[in-house]
Amino acid sequence: MPRLVIVSNRVALPRQTSTGGLGSAMHAATQTEGGLWFGWSGKLAERSGASLHRQRHGEVDYVTIDLSRADHDQYYAGFANRALWPLLHYRAGLVEYRRANMEGYLRVNELFADTLTPLLEPDDIIWIHDYHLIPLGAMLRGRGVANRIGFFLHTPLPAAGLLIALPRHQELLGSLASCDLIGLHTDRDQRALEDYFLHEAQATLLPDGRLQDRAGARFRIQAFPISIDTRKVARQAERAGRSPKIQQLRDSLGDRAMVIGVDRLDYSKGLPERFKAYGQLLDRNTELRGQVSFLQIAPHSRDTVPEYRQLRHQLERSAGHINGRYAEPDWTPISYVNRSFPHQLLTGYYRVARVGLVTPLRDGMNLVAKEYIACQDAHDPGVLVLSRFAGAARELDSALLVNPSDTEEVTEALETALTMSLKERRERWQPMYEHLCRYDVSFWRNSFLDTLRQQSPATDQEAADPAAATGRPAAVGSAAAPGPHSSHSRLAKRPVLPESPR
Ligand code: ADQ
């Protein structure tokens, strides 16, 4: 079995409390597959990549490098999080593009490619993750890596009309063509990327559904909705539900219904709008005062980015305002907690909550929505209120679907959820739970990797002239190996991205 090599900005070490969707999902994925996981250590050092940190846990080797302050600021905080993240979440107004940041982004991707290449074996399957590492596949090809390369984008992908606002977009997004397979969460994202390649990058559609760019590189774009380890999460929730901590929470709630929100603190998650909708609920439905408690868990993320600090202050003010206005000596309307929790405990909170409130303005998928469904008690399930603009809404369609910007609609959905009959709650929950049991994280991982393995580098016709048709260079460490993998690549010869100053 070929080794799986995962590459992502951050590496989620086992036993670390991960508060990110990618970490949660990949953690579940590596547990069965094993392999190598490479990325940034999350630490800063005098010089980027000066040493490799290696750890082995079970079947997985974790290899990380540190970054210098300048690289961190330009690659991570600057370009990835202040240009790409807002753009990919349809927030063109928040995009801050600086040339130096893009150079830093390319420089760190080059460093990842330089560091990873000697660690690769000829049969490895490489799976690159997320917007931090868009050009990495092309940079690996440029170093002679001929292995299968897959890329998965964890964010949404907006329409081409928005993507072209990014300076040098063709260079950046066009470099994805060096990967054999590009995965996105939904068919809408898939269509948007295909449309971008066909209309902005002069790619052509091949009869087998793949695309071919102007340099002859062939690649497939396909939707693979990410998911969770549904049955495991359900078991955790059942156990957690019986734990003393959760029992304590139930006791403190008494007859009150709990509404729960769990998100990284991020402007894409629609938290100000969510707080507003909850405030409106208490304002207009006086009977619910004292009868409902809202627990919003939102650990800080990306604190070095000013927009995130502003959001933090805005939410502190808003929660303070709601509590100041409606609280009673024996009732706090909103508990706003900025901490991470062990996942097991979190599943217990989901199980206790009568309503899961998941209202991002845009979200690639949103695993919290799926976790909330997995954690419910089949005899007495809660209700999911879910944004139409989360990828998860395309699967969890018996949730109460809302437009998060229409705070009145969210308020109404909350009222409906809090008063919904047991019969309707069960009818809505059951099909969503069954869907998630079938399409879980293993299904996601297997379907992506199976599709990647099937991406034949050469069709019969290509086999006659593999170098021209596939754009594949020789496999790393197997220069003498015959077959399609030993052909030379145009992508390898032609620098896909300009050399960035180091
Ligand atoms: P995120 O934006 O991080 O993920 P999400 O998909 O909801 O969002 O995943 C969050 C994960 O972190 C969940 O597993 C949740 O349980 C966990 N988590 C959140 N807060 C926590 C806390 N306080 N303590 C412990 N755990 C916490 C990105 C994209 C999403 C996409 C995922 C996966 O933005 O759209 O669904 O990647 O692709």
Short mmCIF file of all heavy atoms in Angstrom, two decimals, residues 17-22 24-25 85 89 152 154-155 185 226 262-264 269 297-299 339-343 346 350 363-368 371, ligand 1:
data_model
loop_
_atom_site.label_atom_id
_atom_site.label_comp_id
_atom_site.label_asym_id
_atom_site.label_seq_id
_atom_site.Cartn_x
_atom_site.Cartn_y
_atom_site.Cartn_z
N THR A 17 -5.83 19.43 21.71
CA THR A 17 -7.21 19.81 21.49
C THR A 17 -7.25 20.66 20.23
O THR A 17 -6.75 21.77 20.21
CB THR A 17 -7.76 20.61 22.68
OG1 THR A 17 -7.56 19.82 23.83
CG2 THR A 17 -9.22 20.92 22.52
N SER A 18 -7.80 20.10 19.16
CA SER A 18 -7.83 20.84 17.92
C SER A 18 -9.14 21.62 17.82
O SER A 18 -10.21 21.08 18.07
CB SER A 18 -7.73 19.86 16.76
OG SER A 18 -8.23 20.44 15.60
N THR A 19 -9.05 22.89 17.47
CA THR A 19 -10.29 23.66 17.32
C THR A 19 -10.48 24.05 15.87
O THR A 19 -11.09 25.03 15.57
CB THR A 19 -10.28 24.93 18.19
OG1 THR A 19 -9.09 25.65 17.86
CG2 THR A 19 -10.31 24.60 19.64
N GLY A 20 -9.93 23.27 14.99
CA GLY A 20 -10.11 23.57 13.58
C GLY A 20 -10.69 22.37 12.87
O GLY A 20 -10.44 21.22 13.26
N GLY A 21 -11.47 22.65 11.83
CA GLY A 21 -12.12 21.58 11.10
C GLY A 21 -11.13 20.67 10.41
O GLY A 21 -11.27 19.45 10.42
N LEU A 22 -10.09 21.28 9.81
CA LEU A 22 -9.11 20.47 9.08
C LEU A 22 -8.42 19.51 10.05
O LEU A 22 -8.29 18.33 9.77
CB LEU A 22 -8.07 21.41 8.45
CG LEU A 22 -7.12 20.79 7.45
CD1 LEU A 22 -6.69 21.86 6.45
CD2 LEU A 22 -5.90 20.19 8.07
N SER A 24 -9.52 18.33 12.91
CA SER A 24 -10.45 17.28 13.34
C SER A 24 -10.58 16.20 12.27
O SER A 24 -10.50 15.01 12.54
CB SER A 24 -11.85 17.82 13.59
OG SER A 24 -11.82 18.89 14.48
N ALA A 25 -10.77 16.65 11.02
CA ALA A 25 -11.03 15.69 9.94
C ALA A 25 -9.80 14.87 9.62
O ALA A 25 -9.87 13.65 9.46
CB ALA A 25 -11.52 16.42 8.70
N TRP A 85 -8.13 34.29 2.61
CA TRP A 85 -9.30 33.88 3.42
C TRP A 85 -10.52 34.75 3.15
O TRP A 85 -11.60 34.22 2.82
CB TRP A 85 -8.92 33.86 4.91
CG TRP A 85 -10.06 33.49 5.81
CD1 TRP A 85 -10.91 34.35 6.45
CD2 TRP A 85 -10.49 32.16 6.17
NE1 TRP A 85 -11.85 33.66 7.18
CE2 TRP A 85 -11.61 32.31 7.04
CE3 TRP A 85 -10.05 30.88 5.85
CZ2 TRP A 85 -12.28 31.22 7.58
CZ3 TRP A 85 -10.73 29.79 6.41
CH2 TRP A 85 -11.83 29.97 7.26
N HIS A 89 -14.03 33.64 1.11
CA HIS A 89 -15.31 33.71 1.83
C HIS A 89 -16.18 34.86 1.31
O HIS A 89 -17.02 35.38 2.05
CB HIS A 89 -15.07 33.80 3.33
CG HIS A 89 -14.62 32.49 3.91
ND1 HIS A 89 -13.32 32.08 3.89
CD2 HIS A 89 -15.32 31.48 4.48
CE1 HIS A 89 -13.22 30.87 4.44
NE2 HIS A 89 -14.43 30.49 4.80
N PHE A 152 -6.87 19.50 -1.62
CA PHE A 152 -8.24 19.71 -1.13
C PHE A 152 -8.37 21.10 -0.53
O PHE A 152 -7.58 21.49 0.33
CB PHE A 152 -8.63 18.66 -0.08
CG PHE A 152 -10.10 18.69 0.21
CD1 PHE A 152 -10.99 17.99 -0.59
CD2 PHE A 152 -10.61 19.47 1.24
CE1 PHE A 152 -12.36 18.06 -0.36
CE2 PHE A 152 -11.98 19.55 1.47
CZ PHE A 152 -12.86 18.82 0.67
N HIS A 154 -10.42 23.55 1.78
CA HIS A 154 -11.39 23.43 2.88
C HIS A 154 -12.34 24.62 2.97
O HIS A 154 -13.26 24.61 3.78
CB HIS A 154 -10.65 23.23 4.20
CG HIS A 154 -10.00 21.89 4.31
ND1 HIS A 154 -10.54 20.85 5.04
CD2 HIS A 154 -8.88 21.39 3.72
CE1 HIS A 154 -9.76 19.78 4.91
NE2 HIS A 154 -8.75 20.09 4.13
N THR A 155 -12.08 25.65 2.18
CA THR A 155 -12.95 26.84 2.21
C THR A 155 -13.94 26.75 1.04
O THR A 155 -13.77 25.92 0.16
CB THR A 155 -12.12 28.12 2.02
OG1 THR A 155 -11.60 28.12 0.68
CG2 THR A 155 -10.97 28.21 3.01
N HIS A 185 -15.61 21.13 -1.38
CA HIS A 185 -16.68 20.56 -0.55
C HIS A 185 -17.99 20.30 -1.30
O HIS A 185 -18.68 19.34 -1.01
CB HIS A 185 -17.01 21.50 0.61
CG HIS A 185 -15.98 21.51 1.70
ND1 HIS A 185 -15.59 20.37 2.35
CD2 HIS A 185 -15.30 22.52 2.27
CE1 HIS A 185 -14.70 20.68 3.28
NE2 HIS A 185 -14.50 21.97 3.24
N ILE A 226 -16.66 16.93 2.99
CA ILE A 226 -15.94 16.40 4.16
C ILE A 226 -16.96 16.04 5.25
O ILE A 226 -18.08 16.58 5.27
CB ILE A 226 -14.92 17.43 4.68
CG1 ILE A 226 -13.82 16.74 5.50
CG2 ILE A 226 -15.58 18.53 5.49
CD1 ILE A 226 -12.64 17.65 5.81
N VAL A 262 -20.87 26.73 18.45
CA VAL A 262 -19.44 26.40 18.64
C VAL A 262 -18.72 26.78 17.35
O VAL A 262 -19.02 26.23 16.28
CB VAL A 262 -19.24 24.89 18.92
CG1 VAL A 262 -17.76 24.55 19.03
CG2 VAL A 262 -19.98 24.45 20.17
N ASP A 263 -17.82 27.73 17.46
CA ASP A 263 -17.13 28.19 16.25
C ASP A 263 -15.75 28.70 16.64
O ASP A 263 -15.56 29.18 17.75
CB ASP A 263 -17.86 29.41 15.65
CG ASP A 263 -19.33 29.19 15.46
OD1 ASP A 263 -20.09 29.24 16.45
OD2 ASP A 263 -19.72 28.99 14.32
N ARG A 264 -14.80 28.65 15.68
CA ARG A 264 -13.61 29.47 15.86
C ARG A 264 -14.07 30.91 15.75
O ARG A 264 -14.99 31.21 14.98
CB ARG A 264 -12.61 29.21 14.73
CG ARG A 264 -11.63 28.15 14.97
CD ARG A 264 -10.62 28.04 13.85
NE ARG A 264 -11.21 28.10 12.52
CZ ARG A 264 -11.25 29.17 11.75
NH1 ARG A 264 -10.71 30.31 12.14
NH2 ARG A 264 -11.81 29.13 10.57
N LYS A 269 -18.10 33.35 10.45
CA LYS A 269 -19.05 32.50 11.19
C LYS A 269 -20.36 33.23 11.55
O LYS A 269 -21.25 32.64 12.15
CB LYS A 269 -18.40 31.96 12.46
CG LYS A 269 -17.12 31.14 12.20
CD LYS A 269 -17.38 29.82 11.49
CE LYS A 269 -16.10 29.02 11.31
NZ LYS A 269 -16.31 27.78 10.57
N ILE A 297 -19.57 29.03 22.36
CA ILE A 297 -18.15 28.73 22.57
C ILE A 297 -17.40 29.22 21.35
O ILE A 297 -17.73 28.83 20.22
CB ILE A 297 -17.95 27.20 22.75
CG1 ILE A 297 -18.70 26.74 24.00
CG2 ILE A 297 -16.48 26.86 22.85
CD1 ILE A 297 -18.66 25.23 24.22
N ALA A 298 -16.43 30.09 21.56
CA ALA A 298 -15.70 30.65 20.40
C ALA A 298 -14.26 30.95 20.79
O ALA A 298 -13.92 32.08 21.14
CB ALA A 298 -16.40 31.92 19.90
N PRO A 299 -13.39 29.93 20.73
CA PRO A 299 -11.99 30.19 21.04
C PRO A 299 -11.37 31.17 20.05
O PRO A 299 -11.73 31.15 18.87
CB PRO A 299 -11.33 28.81 20.93
CG PRO A 299 -12.29 27.95 20.22
CD PRO A 299 -13.65 28.54 20.34
N ARG A 339 -12.83 29.59 24.96
CA ARG A 339 -11.86 28.54 25.29
C ARG A 339 -12.07 27.32 24.41
O ARG A 339 -13.15 27.10 23.89
CB ARG A 339 -12.11 28.05 26.72
CG ARG A 339 -11.40 28.73 27.80
CD ARG A 339 -11.23 27.84 29.03
NE ARG A 339 -12.31 26.99 29.43
CZ ARG A 339 -13.37 27.35 30.12
NH1 ARG A 339 -13.54 28.61 30.45
NH2 ARG A 339 -14.28 26.47 30.48
N SER A 340 -11.02 26.51 24.34
CA SER A 340 -11.18 25.22 23.70
C SER A 340 -11.59 24.20 24.75
O SER A 340 -11.25 24.36 25.91
CB SER A 340 -9.86 24.76 23.10
OG SER A 340 -9.59 25.51 21.97
N PHE A 341 -12.29 23.17 24.32
CA PHE A 341 -12.70 22.11 25.25
C PHE A 341 -12.27 20.77 24.67
O PHE A 341 -12.23 20.62 23.45
CB PHE A 341 -14.22 22.11 25.43
CG PHE A 341 -14.72 23.29 26.18
CD1 PHE A 341 -15.08 24.45 25.52
CD2 PHE A 341 -14.81 23.26 27.57
CE1 PHE A 341 -15.52 25.56 26.21
CE2 PHE A 341 -15.26 24.37 28.26
CZ PHE A 341 -15.61 25.52 27.59
N PRO A 342 -12.00 19.79 25.53
CA PRO A 342 -11.76 18.46 24.98
C PRO A 342 -12.98 18.04 24.16
O PRO A 342 -14.12 18.35 24.53
CB PRO A 342 -11.62 17.58 26.24
CG PRO A 342 -11.34 18.54 27.35
CD PRO A 342 -11.96 19.85 26.98
N HIS A 343 -12.71 17.36 23.05
CA HIS A 343 -13.79 17.08 22.12
C HIS A 343 -14.92 16.29 22.78
O HIS A 343 -16.10 16.51 22.53
CB HIS A 343 -13.26 16.35 20.88
CG HIS A 343 -14.14 16.53 19.71
ND1 HIS A 343 -14.98 15.55 19.27
CD2 HIS A 343 -14.34 17.59 18.91
CE1 HIS A 343 -15.66 16.01 18.24
NE2 HIS A 343 -15.29 17.24 17.99
N LEU A 346 -17.21 18.48 24.60
CA LEU A 346 -18.00 19.24 23.64
C LEU A 346 -19.20 18.41 23.14
O LEU A 346 -20.30 18.92 22.98
CB LEU A 346 -17.09 19.59 22.45
CG LEU A 346 -17.36 20.87 21.68
CD1 LEU A 346 -17.40 22.07 22.57
CD2 LEU A 346 -16.27 21.04 20.61
N TYR A 350 -23.19 19.35 23.10
CA TYR A 350 -24.10 19.27 21.95
C TYR A 350 -25.33 18.45 22.30
O TYR A 350 -26.45 18.76 21.89
CB TYR A 350 -23.42 18.55 20.78
CG TYR A 350 -22.30 19.27 20.05
CD1 TYR A 350 -21.11 18.59 19.75
CD2 TYR A 350 -22.42 20.57 19.60
CE1 TYR A 350 -20.08 19.20 19.03
CE2 TYR A 350 -21.39 21.18 18.89
CZ TYR A 350 -20.23 20.50 18.61
OH TYR A 350 -19.23 21.09 17.90
N ASP A 363 -19.32 29.20 4.68
CA ASP A 363 -18.48 28.18 5.28
C ASP A 363 -18.28 27.07 4.26
O ASP A 363 -19.25 26.69 3.59
CB ASP A 363 -19.17 27.61 6.54
CG ASP A 363 -18.19 27.32 7.65
OD1 ASP A 363 -17.02 27.01 7.34
OD2 ASP A 363 -18.59 27.39 8.83
N GLY A 364 -17.04 26.58 4.17
CA GLY A 364 -16.78 25.51 3.21
C GLY A 364 -17.75 24.36 3.47
O GLY A 364 -18.51 23.96 2.60
N MET A 365 -17.70 23.81 4.68
CA MET A 365 -18.62 22.75 5.05
C MET A 365 -19.33 23.12 6.36
O MET A 365 -20.50 23.35 6.41
CB MET A 365 -17.85 21.42 5.23
CG MET A 365 -18.69 20.26 5.70
SD MET A 365 -20.15 19.95 4.69
CE MET A 365 -19.44 19.48 3.14
N ASN A 366 -18.58 23.17 7.44
CA ASN A 366 -19.00 23.34 8.83
C ASN A 366 -19.25 21.99 9.49
O ASN A 366 -20.33 21.39 9.36
CB ASN A 366 -20.21 24.26 9.01
CG ASN A 366 -20.29 24.69 10.48
OD1 ASN A 366 -20.49 23.85 11.37
ND2 ASN A 366 -20.07 25.97 10.73
N LEU A 367 -18.23 21.55 10.19
CA LEU A 367 -18.31 20.24 10.85
C LEU A 367 -19.11 20.29 12.13
O LEU A 367 -19.62 19.26 12.59
CB LEU A 367 -16.89 19.73 11.13
CG LEU A 367 -16.06 19.42 9.88
CD1 LEU A 367 -14.66 18.96 10.25
CD2 LEU A 367 -16.75 18.36 9.03
N VAL A 368 -19.23 21.49 12.73
CA VAL A 368 -20.01 21.60 13.96
C VAL A 368 -21.45 21.16 13.70
O VAL A 368 -22.06 20.47 14.51
CB VAL A 368 -19.92 23.03 14.53
CG1 VAL A 368 -20.94 23.25 15.63
CG2 VAL A 368 -18.50 23.31 15.04
N GLU A 371 -21.47 17.47 13.67
CA GLU A 371 -21.24 16.94 15.02
C GLU A 371 -22.51 17.08 15.87
O GLU A 371 -22.86 16.18 16.63
CB GLU A 371 -20.09 17.69 15.71
CG GLU A 371 -18.72 17.33 15.13
CD GLU A 371 -17.59 18.24 15.59
OE1 GLU A 371 -17.84 19.21 16.31
OE2 GLU A 371 -16.44 17.98 15.19
P1 ADQ B 1 -13.34 25.54 10.64
O1 ADQ B 1 -13.60 26.90 10.08
O2 ADQ B 1 -12.39 25.47 11.75
O3 ADQ B 1 -12.88 24.52 9.50
P2 ADQ B 1 -15.60 23.65 11.32
O4 ADQ B 1 -15.78 22.87 10.10
O5 ADQ B 1 -16.88 24.00 11.99
O6 ADQ B 1 -14.83 25.01 11.10
O7 ADQ B 1 -14.73 22.81 12.33
C1 ADQ B 1 -14.45 23.21 13.63
C2 ADQ B 1 -13.92 22.00 14.41
O8 ADQ B 1 -13.26 22.44 15.57
C3 ADQ B 1 -15.04 21.09 14.88
O9 ADQ B 1 -14.61 19.76 14.82
C4 ADQ B 1 -15.29 21.53 16.31
O10 ADQ B 1 -15.77 20.53 17.17
C5 ADQ B 1 -13.89 21.94 16.74
N1 ADQ B 1 -13.99 23.02 17.73
C6 ADQ B 1 -14.47 24.25 17.52
N2 ADQ B 1 -14.43 24.97 18.67
C7 ADQ B 1 -13.91 24.16 19.61
C8 ADQ B 1 -13.61 24.31 21.00
N3 ADQ B 1 -13.84 25.42 21.65
N4 ADQ B 1 -13.06 23.27 21.64
C9 ADQ B 1 -12.81 22.13 20.97
N5 ADQ B 1 -13.08 21.92 19.67
C10 ADQ B 1 -13.62 22.92 19.00
C11 ADQ B 1 -12.47 24.65 8.13
C12 ADQ B 1 -13.49 25.29 7.19
C13 ADQ B 1 -14.83 24.56 7.31
C14 ADQ B 1 -14.64 23.08 7.02
C15 ADQ B 1 -13.49 22.50 7.81
C16 ADQ B 1 -13.14 21.11 7.35
O11 ADQ B 1 -13.65 26.67 7.51
O12 ADQ B 1 -15.77 25.11 6.40
O13 ADQ B 1 -15.82 22.39 7.37
O14 ADQ B 1 -12.30 23.28 7.69
O15 ADQ B 1 -12.90 21.11 6.00
#
